Amino acid sequence: MLAVTFVLYQALNLYWWIVIASAILSWLYAFNIVNPGNPFVDSVGRFLWQMTEPVYRRIRRFLPDLGGIDLSPLVVLFAIMFLQYFIVVYIDPAIVRAGL
């Protein structure tokens, strides 16, 4: 069972980095630092958008409209931190105590 929680923890860690990369790329797009017409940049941007947008869309329904500021990546990062903390502090010790 610890292997399952380890895989879940690592999947959350990977998604953490995907959210960070998505936020950085959106800033690079906004300040015209990267060329969105570049095929490589476009494919990376499309991949990151497809990985993050379904989660962001659900969170944006509950967040107030702050104009041009999108806080959904921050909410996702806090949720990932909470889940990782929950796994390490509560789930893993319970699995060890149960002897699974």
Side-chain angles (χ1 to χ4, degrees), residues 2-50:
L2 285 177
V4 172
T5 60
F6 176 75
V7 169
L8 180 60
Y9 186 89
Q10 292 302 321
L12 289 169
N13 195 29
L14 176 64
Y15 198 71
W16 167 277
W17 288 109
I18 289 173
V19 169
I20 295 290
S22 174
I24 290 172
L25 189 63
S26 73
W27 295 338
L28 294 176
Y29 278 151
F31 294 116
N32 289 326
I33 296 173
V34 295
N35 181 10
N38 184 332
F40 177 73
V41 172
D42 183 51
S43 64
V44 169
R46 223 175 317 120
F47 168 76
L48 292 174
W49 186 83
Q50 289 175 346

Side-chain angles (χ1 to χ4, degrees), residues 33-100:
I33 296 173
V34 295
N35 181 10
N38 184 332
F40 177 73
V41 172
D42 183 51
S43 64
V44 169
R46 223 175 317 120
F47 168 76
L48 292 174
W49 186 83
Q50 289 175 346
M51 293 297 292
T52 57
E53 189 58 30
V55 176
Y56 290 170
R57 193 176 314 122
R58 290 181 181 160
I59 292 171
R60 285 185 193 125
R61 287 188 297 187
F62 300 106
L63 290 177
D65 185 21
L66 299 174
I69 299 174
D70 185 14
L71 295 179
S72 55
L74 190 62
V75 172
V76 170
L77 292 177
F78 281 135
I80 290 172
M81 284 191 304
F82 172 77
L83 289 172
Q84 287 178 330
Y85 181 81
F86 188 78
I87 289 170
V88 169
V89 173
Y90 294 107
I91 304 296
D92 284 348
I95 291 171
V96 170
R97 277 194 308 271
L100 297 176

